[in-house]
Amino acid sequence: MRRNMNKNGEDIWGFEQKLGAQNSEVFLGLDGGTTSTVCVCTRVPLRNEPVPDPLPLLARAVGGCTNHNSMGETAARKEMEEVMAEALMMAGFSRLSVRAVCLAVSGVNHVSDQHRMIQWLRKIFPGNVQLYVQNDAVAALASGTAGKLHGCVLIAGTGSIAYGFTEDGREARAAGAGPILGDWGSGYGISAQALTAVIRAHDGRGPPTSLTSAILQELKLSGPDEVIGWTYADPSWARIAALVPVVKACAAAGDKVAKNVLLSAIQELAESVRAVVQRLNLCGKDGRDSFPLVMVGGVLETDNGWDMGKEVVRHIFKEFPGVIPIQPKVEPAVGAAMLAWNYYLKA
């Protein structure tokens, strides 16, 4: 098992040398996003033991961005390793006690991404540890279905994605390709359109909007020309997406431009869900079968009078009246731990 140093030059696994004998076995579940990363540690169940509700957690650690498309693979891996080490240290266990690890990380979009990450994990954990890597949407779905992969999940935070599974294991996704390729229902997409509206209003290509004064005040800028410099000084996705509450506030105050930005995002999110549901036929032949729709992410939360999650469901319900919206009671990292639990029991 290799070792890694933190920013202070300390071995992040050094705590293991101070631990005594350990009789328990544990799982790690990690949810890695563009804004933050959470890792939870839970005990290993007895064989044939169902997943308890709620899942008992031994520790919870929080880190920063781990989307390799946003920050690079080396930095993302370093952050994930540090947050896993912190979770184990808080729980009082070493890597020798780990039996399964499930990483659910945004930016994992292809089987090659999974293989590279598993090979990396093999250098960190003992050879007998079962390793699983998924897109973060899979853990988000599991967080709302007690670990069962069936139905559809919609994530709308810094980024956005819709992901679905059938009961026989078929899967499909829509969106989730990042800001350049059009996650327009995401926090980044909403904020980018708002910033664009400010520039268009300033140079005469678009109508006046209260977004201009609101965003300038939020960013402490003196004029629209400075928006360009602010944007490209650090175009990190989470930094841009943080402007969503400003957009919602302007829309709630009656600004037509801000309102249209949000309505466009709602339509995009509904289209993503619709694409997944249709590809997997989750709605049945007559379009009326019931299926769970797990909804996760800050964009979908009520803010300044805008309940975007409710509006997305309203759009979807028109076509798929059997949709059952679910707001998870646990966070996606716990969903990742549930997946580790289920994978382990099936192995």
Side-chain angles (χ1 to χ4, degrees):
M1 296 185 292
R2 73 183 184 88
R3 298 192 178 276
N4 192 7
M5 302 297 174
N6 62 20
K7 59 184 178 182
N8 297 321
E10 301 167 335
D11 180 5
I12 64 172
W13 298 107
F15 71 91
E16 293 178 320
Q17 301 174 17
K18 304 174 184 178
L19 297 175
Q22 300 171 340
N23 298 320
S24 297
E25 300 175 329
V26 297
F27 291 148
L28 291 178
L30 182 145
D31 169 51
T34 305
T35 302
S36 63
T37 297
V38 177
C39 182
V40 298
C41 179
T42 185
R43 70 173 180 83
V44 170
L46 300 174
R47 287 290 175 180
N48 300 319
E49 180 182 355
V51 177
D53 183 18
L55 191 69
L57 300 184
L58 302 175
R60 178 182 184 271
V62 181
C65 171
T66 50
N67 184 320
H68 67 90
N69 292 324
S70 176
M71 66 185 306
E73 203 159 89
T74 299
R77 289 178 176 181
K78 181 177 177 62
E79 188 71 19
M80 281 187 283
E81 186 172 356
E82 288 185 1
V83 77
M84 287 189 291
E86 183 179 355
L88 282 173
M89 180 177 66
M90 293 170 65
F93 291 95
S94 74
R95 287 170 286 178
L96 295 175
S97 295
V98 177
R99 290 297 169 265
V101 178
C102 179
L103 302 189
V105 187
S106 64
V108 174
N109 299 316
H110 191 268
V111 66
S112 61
D113 297 327
Q114 294 173 307
H115 287 166
R116 287 199 314 276
M117 197 167 290
I118 287 176
Q119 289 174 352
W120 164 69
L121 287 171
R122 281 287 171 221
K123 299 176 182 178
I124 298 175
F125 292 96
N128 64 330
V129 177
Q130 296 179 33
L131 304 173
Y132 309 97
V133 175
Q134 295 281 4
N135 183 276
D136 63 331
V138 180
L141 175 60
S143 71
T145 58
K148 181 180 180 182
L149 293 182
H150 171 248
C152 184
V153 62
L154 174 65
I155 297 179
T158 298
S160 64
I161 187 173
Y163 212 117
F165 283 85
T166 61
E167 292 186 338
D168 60 2
R170 291 183 297 117
E171 59 187 276
R173 58 176 285 173
I180 294 176
L181 299 178
D183 283 352
W184 298 122
S186 68
Y188 182 99
I190 291 170
S191 299
Q193 289 191 59
L195 290 169
T196 300
V198 170
I199 298 301
R200 289 177 62 86
H202 177 59
D203 63 22
R205 290 176 296 145
T209 170
S210 64
L211 286 168
T212 299
S213 59
I215 288 177
L216 291 179
Q217 181 178 355
E218 176 70 17
L219 302 181
K220 296 179 173 57
L221 302 177
S222 60
D225 286 335
E226 294 184 5
V227 169
I228 300 173
W230 178 88
T231 300
Y232 293 110
D234 178 11
S236 61
W237 303 350
R239 177 173 175 262
I240 302 296
L243 292 173
V244 168
V246 178
V247 183
K248 288 185 176 181
C250 289
D255 186 87
K256 291 183 179 180
V257 174
K259 184 176 181 180
N260 286 337
V261 168
L262 296 182
L263 291 176
S264 176
I266 290 168
Q267 187 65 38
E268 285 284 342
L269 295 172
E271 287 289 347
S272 296
V273 173
R274 183 180 294 110
V276 170
V277 172
Q278 289 179 334
R279 286 169 62 189
L280 296 178
N281 196 29
L282 294 175
C283 56
K285 293 182 179 180
D286 62 357
R288 306 185 70 84
D289 284 5
S290 63
F291 63 91
L293 173 62
V294 179
M295 306 183 71
V296 177
V299 169
L300 300 174
E301 297 174 359
T302 303
D303 190 9
N304 288 307
W306 272 83
D307 188 341
M308 291 186 63
K310 181 178 179 180
E311 289 301 310
V312 170
V313 171
R314 187 175 65 82
H315 276 66
I316 296 169
F317 186 79
K318 292 178 181 178
E319 189 167 353
F320 308 121
V323 63
I324 303 173
I326 297 174
Q327 292 185 327
K329 297 179 181 179
V330 298
E331 61 185 339
V334 177
M338 290 178 177
L339 289 175
W341 190 304
N342 285 335
Y343 289 144
Y344 179 80
L345 292 178
K346 292 177 181 178

